[in-house]
Amino acid sequence: MNRPIPSRPHWLTDQHAMIRDAVRRFAEAQIAPYSEKLWEDEAFPYDIWREAAQLGFTGLPYPETWGGGDGDWLSFVIVLEELARIDCAVANALMANSTVASLLSNYGTPEQKDRFLRPILDGRQIGSIALSEPDAGSDAANLATRATFDGERWTVSGSKTFISNSGTAIGGPVVIAAVTGTRPDGRKEISNFVIPSGAPGFSTGRKLRKIGWRASITHELFFDECAVPADHLLGERGAGLRQTLAQISTGRILIGALALGILQGSLDRSTAYMGTRRAFGRALSEFQALQFKVADMATHAHAARLMLYDAAALKDAGLPFETQASLAKLFASERAMEAAHQAVQIHGGYGVMAEQAVARAFGDAKVLEIVEGTSEIQRMIIARAVLA
Ligand SMILES: Cc1cc2nc3c(=O)[nH]c(=O)nc-3n(C[C@H](O)[C@H](O)[C@H](O)COP(=O)(O)OP(=O)(O)OC[C@H]3O[C@@H](n4cnc5c(N)ncnc54)[C@H](O)[C@@H]3O)c2cc1C
């Protein structure tokens, strides 16, 4: 996997190139040797998390005041891309933590930031965002979890599922969405709450076994009359869905970065294998049918990179980036699935073996077409934008 740094837009700074080099070295030395074991055990990578935090990756785009790195979003995209090139599940630990950090950073009070944001930026804890429920995924407004207020405390009852980063030994805040009433137009009023690990009535259910993202731990969560003080409401009452939808566009850029990592990793592993494996007395790299597969991967990786970096640069510039985020997420995740599929094909029988990174990336790529809005949901958003 010691491949040259991939093609990059000419306008990237030397600082971005330095970050890429540092993350690449870290991922190849500190993650690659343990990936297969983590996949096998479906285990959270505690040591890697701590080291990534020490290097400043976990809090990179967040304010220094709260323990972040004051970096730009483009740098964070590069971090996730390089981590996912080696192990997409490990990269998702940072990605999911970042979604919580964004909500706390944008809507939290100084007290909430000090108590809940700081430890997930400096790596002492890891955060989860819990929106999805057994009967509410794409249709996120159809939540059944409820929260009632008695003047002093909020009491939450309901369940969540598919929650990344939940159930770890360093579990930090879980930001959950719950129905808190009915709007004048009859729709559900949804609010966000910060639930600390160990809150009474809050429990972790089954660990979910998956075909991809196996080292990204996923659980069901239960709230049985879970009572939290009034100051655990995040932002305004009734603003929950608006907060989550605003944050999810950033999440789409970050999931796109994970997909770009898989695209680049599939390309790098395929070209390396084609150079060494022989059939019919020739290196695989001499067969045009396989050359075309890696040519497509290289084309798609470059296009995905331009789309994602553009979306991140728009966000960094404070310009609207929501449609670009959906375009980039849709393109990158579907092309990553295709590249992962072709990388397995190029590796032949060996490509199906769990010890091969291309086999593990195949499952990881599928998850990316589903989370942070499925491909169908991205197409709905894009169609709405182009038909407006
Ligand atoms: C590994 C993993 C980790 C996750 N981590 C988290 C997490 O940390 N926090 C969290 O809150 N959630 C998380 N999720 C949940 C994820 O966000 C949802 O799975 C996703 O939003 C899709 O919802 P769903 O699974 O209920 O599918 P559904 O919404 O039931 O969709 C099923 C199918 O129907 C399609 N569909 C739905 N509506 C339409 C429509 N209007 N038009 C056309 N097609 C439609 C979908 O595209 C999909 O193909 C995670 C999921 C996975 C698999």
Side-chain angles (χ1 to χ4, degrees):
M1 277 290 280
N2 251 337
R3 314 290 300 170
I5 301 297
S7 64
R8 64 181 181 113
H10 62 87
W11 44 265
L12 279 192
T13 63
D14 289 346
Q15 172 81 4
H16 291 125
M18 271 168 49
I19 290 174
R20 182 189 298 284
D21 286 350
V23 187
R24 183 166 284 211
R25 274 197 304 277
F26 169 75
E28 295 196 342
Q30 307 296 331
I31 303 179
Y34 309 104
S35 271
E36 184 189 348
K37 175 91 174 111
L38 291 168
W39 188 92
E40 207 67 62
D41 297 348
E42 299 186 74
F44 183 80
Y46 292 102
D47 292 342
I48 294 171
W49 174 256
R50 267 190 293 274
E51 287 166 39
Q54 271 165 18
L55 289 167
F57 300 155
T58 49
L60 184 61
Y62 295 98
E64 220 170 340
T65 327
W66 306 111
D70 261 341
D72 59 3
W73 284 91
L74 182 50
S75 298
F76 195 52
V77 163
I78 292 170
V79 169
L80 293 181
E81 171 191 344
E82 287 297 329
L83 295 178
R85 175 175 167 270
I86 297 299
D87 191 321
C88 187
V90 170
N92 185 55
L94 271 79
M95 187 278 159
N97 190 63
S98 168
T99 62
V100 187
S102 284
L103 284 172
L104 291 167
S105 177
N106 292 337
Y107 307 108
T109 60
E111 292 73 28
Q112 287 173 332
K113 288 179 189 177
D114 196 41
R115 178 171 171 199
F116 299 119
L117 177 61
R118 194 180 289 285
I120 65 169
L121 294 186
D122 67 21
R124 274 174 289 151
Q125 295 183 346
I126 190 162
S128 302
I129 181 165
L131 177 66
S132 303
E133 297 185 357
D135 292 317
S138 304
D139 187 6
N142 188 38
L143 300 181
T145 297
R146 303 197 73 85
T148 52
F149 191 50
D150 66 5
E152 259 181 49
R153 302 156 79 79
W154 286 96
T155 302
V156 182
S157 293
S159 66
K160 300 284 177 182
T161 193
F162 302 137
I163 307 309
S164 301
N165 287 349
S166 57
T168 70
I170 51 168
V174 182
V175 171
I176 69 150
V179 179
T180 47
T182 308
R183 294 180 169 283
D185 63 5
R187 287 182 299 150
K188 290 176 177 175
E189 178 194 85
I190 294 172
S191 307
N192 282 334
F193 297 89
V194 191
I195 310 290
S197 165
F202 168 35
S203 61
T204 303
R206 269 187 317 146
K207 176 176 170 182
L208 303 175
R209 301 188 57 223
K210 311 188 291 295
I211 61 165
W213 274 13
R214 286 166 59 99
S216 167
I217 310 302
T218 318
H219 284 86
E220 298 172 317
L221 301 180
F222 297 105
F223 302 91
D224 182 10
E225 304 213 344
C226 170
V228 290
D231 63 4
H232 284 41
L233 174 70
L234 185 63
E236 287 167 38
R237 176 176 178 162
L241 204 57
R242 184 160 46 80
Q243 293 172 359
T244 304
L245 293 180
Q247 174 285 127
I248 220 166
S249 294
T250 304
R252 286 175 182 145
I253 300 177
L254 305 184
I255 289 293
L258 268 49
L260 175 56
I262 288 191
L263 258 167
Q264 190 65 47
S266 300
L267 172 63
D268 293 345
R269 291 184 182 101
S270 297
T271 51
Y273 191 72
M274 283 166 62
T276 53
R277 177 76 175 172
R278 296 179 72 79
F280 299 95
R282 298 156 75 188
L284 294 188
S285 57
E286 291 180 45
F287 297 122
Q288 196 179 54
L290 303 189
Q291 290 171 0
F292 282 9
K293 291 183 195 297
V294 289
D296 285 351
M297 288 181 204
T299 308
H300 296 157
H302 187 57
R305 185 168 290 114
L306 294 178
M307 292 173 83
L308 285 158
Y309 290 8
D310 180 53
L314 285 171
K315 180 173 166 65
D316 281 325
L319 295 167
F321 64 94
E322 289 74 11
T323 307
Q324 284 83 352
S326 282
L327 292 167
K329 194 268 179 182
L330 175 65
F331 182 81
S333 60
E334 292 197 342
R335 297 292 81 75
M337 185 72 256
E338 202 176 293
H341 171 202
Q342 293 302 346
V344 170
Q345 191 69 15
I346 288 168
H347 282 71
Y350 294 103
V352 182
M353 303 299 136
E355 70 219 35
Q356 292 287 338
V358 289
R360 301 192 298 271
F362 185 75
D364 292 342
K366 187 64 225 172
V367 181
L368 303 177
E369 292 183 310
I370 293 168
V371 295
E372 226 67 7
T374 62
S375 291
E376 289 79 9
I377 295 300
Q378 304 310 326
R379 286 192 166 85
M380 283 164 57
I381 293 168
I382 295 163
R384 217 180 290 140
V386 296
L387 291 168

